[in-house]
Amino acid sequence: MAILLCLVAFGAGAQTYPAKPVRIVVGFAAGGPTDVIARLMAQDMSVATGQSFLVENRPGANAIIATEHVARSAPDGYTLLFSSLSLLVNHALPGNTVKYDPFRDFAPVSDAATLPQVIVAPPQAPFDSLRELVALARAKPGELSYATSGHAGSTHLAGAMLENATGTKMVNVPFKGNGPALAEVMAGRVSFMFYPAVGIADNVAAKRLKVLAIASAQRHPDFPGVPTMAEEGLQGFEATAPWVGMLAPAGTPAPIVGRLADEMRKSLARPQTRERMRSLGAQIVGDTPAEFAAFLKKDYERWSQVIRVSGVKAE
């Protein structure tokens, strides 16, 4: 009887959810790829449900601060995490001290999209291709720098992999998110960076950036003349493409998780949202909670391999 009452209560809760504003916590600064896509989802979900979905930025420590906060939050559907590969990478790093488990402490909702990475540099950089960048890094060890979204983020792992693959020594310059990192590259204060291909096309068109190569299996439709890293002789970098998706604290009632996943998929199916995502360079996913959970387990193994290759350890 008690179990039946709980099921009835959960069902009623899902029907009335959301009954108040919902916080979507992002572990990176405003303006970066994870934040931009989270705000797209939040806008659509606010309109669809009649309640406000508010993005709250809690940057720092490669999203550990935000992730641990949501892991400790009430499992009622009103505090959510919009995350990326940092969720898995922070836990997979040798010597980590994170206070969350990506599988035990979270209920996956849906994977929104994947973001192929591009190597970008300021227009005035003294190299116009990846091969020229590598040649300069070899000639001047320790002089070139690459901006990253934080220690052990996708941009850092890709940069470390590039150093290992080419036998070069460059300087990692970490920031609290991809947005601030990109700003420093455009200003010419950092030599280059790997950046998820979200919003890059506009900056390239405005001649604030140039694209040297793409870390994906195929060339990017926005930059048809730009070679892939494999074409430049560097294999395996497509594995650094991050995903962005939503998770709830473990224990959140399944009907609420299901409602959130349904609203995300509806958002991603809207022609206006699909066009906006396409213009950002994101590849739409929009899967179910069960599919996202299975993906996360496979992706954990994938990133564990990337970490072994890159040699990156916890700070």
Side-chain angles (χ1 to χ4, degrees), residues 93-94 157 160-161 164 305-314:
L93 285 170
L157 290 171
M161 282 181 67
N164 288 345
Q305 174 63 24
V306 171
I307 288 167
R308 285 192 289 271
V309 171
S310 68
V312 174
K313 296 179 173 60

Side-chain angles (χ1 to χ4, degrees), residues 74-213:
D76 56 8
Y78 291 99
T79 302
L80 307 170
L81 180 69
F82 204 82
S83 188
S84 186
L85 60 97
S86 58
L87 172 81
L88 307 175
V89 166
N90 291 328
H91 189 267
L93 285 170
N96 80 81
T97 58
V98 297
K99 298 179 177 63
Y100 72 85
D101 183 290
F103 305 107
R104 186 182 63 238
D105 295 334
F106 291 96
V109 175
S110 182
D111 183 359
T114 56
L115 312 172
Q117 295 204 87
V118 293
I119 300 180
V120 294
Q124 68 272 25
F127 43 79
D128 294 312
S129 69
L130 178 58
R131 292 179 188 272
E132 290 179 5
L133 184 160
V134 171
L136 185 58
R138 285 174 174 155
K140 297 183 177 181
E143 288 196 20
L144 292 188
S145 57
Y146 58 96
T148 67
S149 60
H151 182 77
S154 63
T155 52
H156 180 200
L157 290 171
M161 282 181 67
L162 180 62
E163 289 184 88
N164 288 345
T166 58
T168 55
K169 178 63 178 176
M170 294 177 275
V171 180
N172 166 31
V173 185
F175 294 88
K176 290 184 178 180
N178 279 309
L182 187 67
E184 292 300 293
V185 173
M186 289 192 291
R189 289 186 282 269
V190 187
S191 305
F192 73 98
M193 78 176 292
F194 283 82
Y195 191 89
V198 171
I200 287 295
D202 291 342
N203 286 311
V204 173
K207 300 190 183 304
R208 291 188 287 265
L209 288 170
K210 57 185 175 183
V211 182
L212 307 180

